[in-house]
Amino acid sequence: MTGFDKSERLMWAGRGAAYAGSFAKLCAYPVPQLLDAAEVGPGVRMLDVGTGPGTVAAAGCARGATVTAVDSEPSMVDLARLSVPGADVRVAVLPELPFDDGEFDAVVGNFVLNHVGQPKGALTELRRVVRPDGRIALTIWAAPPAPGHALLGRAIQAAGAVRPPHLPAGLAREEDFPRDESGLTGLMESAGLREAACETLRWGHRATAEEWWSGPAAGVAFGGQMVQSQTPQVRAEIKRHFDLLSTEFAGPDGVLTLPHAALLARARH
């Protein structure tokens, strides 16, 4: 386990409910396209890696697939077991999954590759557990981030917040890759996957400012950890800038429309 992985485990510990009540709705947008890319349908043996509260697993079950789902965070697994009783949900951590070679027809991961310290190693493991000619489909956030995704970071920067030592600066240089279509396609090919292809998905996520702030306020993800690690004075400044910057995205009803962009990649074993 890398230092990045250890930081991720600490960052997400016990935050399943906070994530489900905030950013999970945002991350649900690409799910239909993700399952289409993996050709998930009736009878398909599907593995959902990084299931979170079970959004993708539930959608796979609704399509008639036989679904196994894993997450590294126990609070996420508890939520997924409750919300998707038809799936086999368990705790497991990339890049070492407790499954046999070729056990699945399709493997999907919705925004999970962002959270592993060895992306190529993770993809190599996903290739191992999918059958020959089986499908793998993944989403990650694109870089540079779209304006809605960058909102919190702008507020943190404007407030003069300082990154605490326990938060990783990023992946090790030899593990990182460009977060664009060619970069993700190249990563999949380097892991031995065939017919790799990638597209960019764009959408406007609608949420109230209070809902969007609730995730960071609860310490969810890197941005939330940045907020929570500051002094009360700096946290107040982050919130003040967040409120000011949020008005750029507010409609007449006061609801925010936050532009986001993600990469959707597909490949075969």
Side-chain angles (χ1 to χ4, degrees), residues 2 9 15 25 38 40 43 110 180:
T2 68
R9 299 290 80 75
R15 290 186 168 84
K25 295 177 184 178
V40 174
N110 196 35
D180 55 25

Side-chain angles (χ1 to χ4, degrees), residues 10 32 83 87 96 101 120 146 148 150-151 157-158 169 178 218 229 236 241-242 246 254:
L10 290 172
S83 62
E96 296 181 3
D101 294 357
K120 181 180 176 180
L151 170 59
Q157 184 177 23
S229 66
H241 284 287
F242 175 87
S246 293

Side-chain angles (χ1 to χ4, degrees), residues 55-66:
T55 306
V56 178
C61 287
R63 292 189 178 204
T66 301

Side-chain angles (χ1 to χ4, degrees), residues 46-122:
M46 183 191 102
L47 173 63
D48 175 23
V49 181
T51 192
T55 306
V56 178
C61 287
R63 292 189 178 204
T66 301
V67 177
T68 300
V70 300
D71 201 282
S72 61
E73 169 49 38
S75 66
M76 298 287 192
V77 170
D78 290 343
L79 288 174
R81 284 174 175 163
L82 288 173
S83 62
V84 198
D88 175 10
V89 187
R90 59 182 89 171
V91 175
V93 182
L94 283 169
E96 296 181 3
L97 298 176
F99 305 114
D100 293 333
D101 294 357
E103 189 167 337
F104 301 98
D105 303 311
V107 177
V108 296
N110 196 35
F111 301 112
V112 68
L113 208 61
N114 308 76
H115 302 293
V116 298
Q118 298 171 298
K120 181 180 176 180

Side-chain angles (χ1 to χ4, degrees), residues 136-197:
I136 293 176
L138 302 163
T139 55
I140 66 168
W141 295 114
H149 200 161
L151 170 59
L152 178 62
R154 289 171 62 198
I156 289 171
Q157 184 177 23
V162 177
R163 182 179 62 84
H166 76 277
L167 288 182
L171 295 180
R173 185 173 181 178
E174 65 273 14
E175 295 289 351
D176 210 352
F177 63 98
R179 307 307 168 99
D180 55 25
E181 293 180 13
S182 62
L184 183 52
T185 299
L187 180 69
M188 297 184 88
E189 290 173 343
S190 73
L193 295 168
R194 301 183 296 110
E195 301 176 23

